[in-house]
Amino acid sequence: MRTESTSYRPSNRPSGSLLATGLALCLTTSSAQAASWLVHDATEFNTAAAALQPGDEIVLADGTWTDTRLLLKGQGTAAAPITLRAQTPGKVILSGRSDLRLAGSYLQVSNLVFRDGYTPGDAVVAFRESSKAVASHSRVTGLVIDDYTNPDGSDQDYWVSLYGSHNRLDHSQLRGKTNAGPTVVVVRDATQGLDNQHRIDHNWFGPRPLLGVNGGETIRVGTSDTSLSDSNSTVENNWFEGCDGETEIVSNKSGGNTYRGNVFYRSAGALTLRHGNSNRVIDNVFLGDDKAGTGGVRIINADQTVSNNYFERLAGSSNRSALAVMDAQANPPLSGYAPVVNATISRNTFVDVAKISFGVGHDTAKGIDVAASNSRFSANLIVNRNNKNPPTAASSLAGIAFSGNVQSPQASTVFPSGVESRSVTLQQAASGLWTPTPALPATGANPALAMTAREATGVDWYPKVGEVALSRTSTGVDR
């Protein structure tokens, strides 16, 4: 493996020139003789990081690192990435005004904790050094950012900003951001990357309180100005728990993205396809527990797919309905509301939700009056055991073809056709989700839909201080 190792001890350090000479000798070895450096302060880190080669590793010594700005920069390879890690998971704390930047390729960072302070720049962790020096094929895993928030609520920053392409944020946990700016953001432009192909997976996003203005998203992928190009990123198998920052828990503002296997638990907001086309929302679970403002999916733009999702006890309405299909402007600017065209809404299950809303935002006076067209609402199951009848329509449904749907106990008169009235009995599966008995094999979400387990997200060496103790069992994908 690694043939050389250097450990720096504050009580017995060599002189500056001797230290520099030793580092130079070690870091010029071949990649077959990759170096591992145990460093104890920013000076040692900077010296070790000055000329990293494929396979090299920097280990941050256990302890509290205050006001420490780290830049991991280099060109690793798929077989020999450059690594930065904590000596012991949970025992390296970056506090005060600390941050981390990555630039280069095939870089890996693991098991760092940020708390007791806030970023000195625009991000706690940024996958770039500058607009012309970004990261690619790089990974941050086991990251904990806990209440590391700017005390000035109006001062905007990000906790993780992804640039470049083929980067990954996984098995991390972030909670308690109270100032402006999305928690995690994919920044896109022609210089820093448009076809991103990032992966954001198996993270636990803990409570984020209501910000009170725009900019409180938990994840934002892109911005309106580049929204007609594809990011092709994947957000999967994450938990969103008590993410109440604003109406858009996830704000999608680019095309070609996939949102799959996520759990939204007691989060007051919705996964919003705000800009961009040809996105997929599949196999997700939305659990509201009747908490005010809890929502599901809001659909805007063209060629969107919302399929095989499960929605339960969501109390929100309008933009935060379990399903919100928006009306649009005829000739919208990039920042406006583009028409819903060629949407596929199929095989979803809605249990005891407050609202399923069509024509959301309809306002002729404001020019928001273009209804969905060439779209399909098929094989969905709607069951209410609470005497509520959730479907509403503020505009014409002529552009949506309804077929093979079932509503229990009675089909709403909102629907023009294609929805059967049927008395459906539900039973709770091992996953904690409700499924019809007897089964309806052609209607609703797949009864085998597996809810990503909370314990499969984040890390197991740092507590998840969430909204409430869970009252249901969850079995799902492995880590």
Side-chain angles (χ1 to χ4, degrees), residues 90-252:
K91 294 189 176 180
V92 172
I93 311 299
L94 290 123
S95 67
R97 306 298 301 278
S98 298
D99 62 4
L100 166 68
R101 293 171 294 158
L102 296 81
S105 59
Y106 295 102
L107 310 173
Q108 292 190 4
V109 178
S110 61
N111 301 329
L112 305 182
V113 177
F114 286 85
R115 70 181 186 211
D116 303 322
Y118 62 98
T119 178
D122 63 1
V124 180
V125 176
F127 283 73
R128 73 166 185 175
E129 178 187 14
S130 67
S131 62
K132 295 182 179 179
V134 301
S136 65
H137 298 280
S138 295
R139 178 185 184 189
V140 173
T141 185
L143 171 71
V144 172
I145 306 180
D146 186 5
D147 281 329
Y148 197 69
T149 191
N150 192 319
D152 182 353
S154 64
D155 195 352
Q156 176 175 291
D157 58 40
Y158 312 125
W159 277 8
V160 178
S161 56
L162 290 105
Y163 300 83
S165 68
H166 298 87
N167 295 317
R168 183 182 182 193
L169 172 69
D170 69 284
H171 292 92
S172 297
Q173 49 195 71
L174 296 82
R175 68 173 300 278
K177 192 174 194 296
T178 59
N179 67 304
T183 306
V184 174
V185 63
V186 174
V187 181
R188 309 177 64 247
D189 60 39
T191 301
Q192 299 175 103
L194 288 171
D195 184 14
N196 308 113
Q197 302 190 53
H198 297 317
R199 185 180 177 200
I200 300 170
D201 67 285
H202 294 89
N203 302 292
W204 180 79
F205 296 102
R208 178 168 186 180
L210 178 65
L211 182 63
V213 294
N214 248 352
E217 306 98 326
T218 297
I219 295 178
R220 190 188 74 207
V221 183
T223 52
S224 59
D225 55 336
T226 58
S227 60
L228 296 183
S229 60
D230 290 349
S231 176
N232 294 316
S233 292
T234 300
V235 178
E236 62 183 349
N237 302 123
N238 302 285
W239 260 75
F240 298 84
E241 184 170 329
C243 294
D244 302 343
E246 64 146 271
T247 298
E248 300 176 10
I249 303 168
V250 174
S251 183
N252 180 89

Side-chain angles (χ1 to χ4, degrees), residues 336-366:
Y337 291 94
V340 174
V341 180
N342 195 36
T344 298
I345 305 164
S346 64
R347 297 298 304 263
N348 301 289
T349 293
F350 301 87
V351 176
D352 297 334
V353 302
K355 294 295 180 183
I356 295 171
S357 303
F358 300 90
V360 172
H362 180 85
D363 189 332
T364 303
K366 294 181 179 179

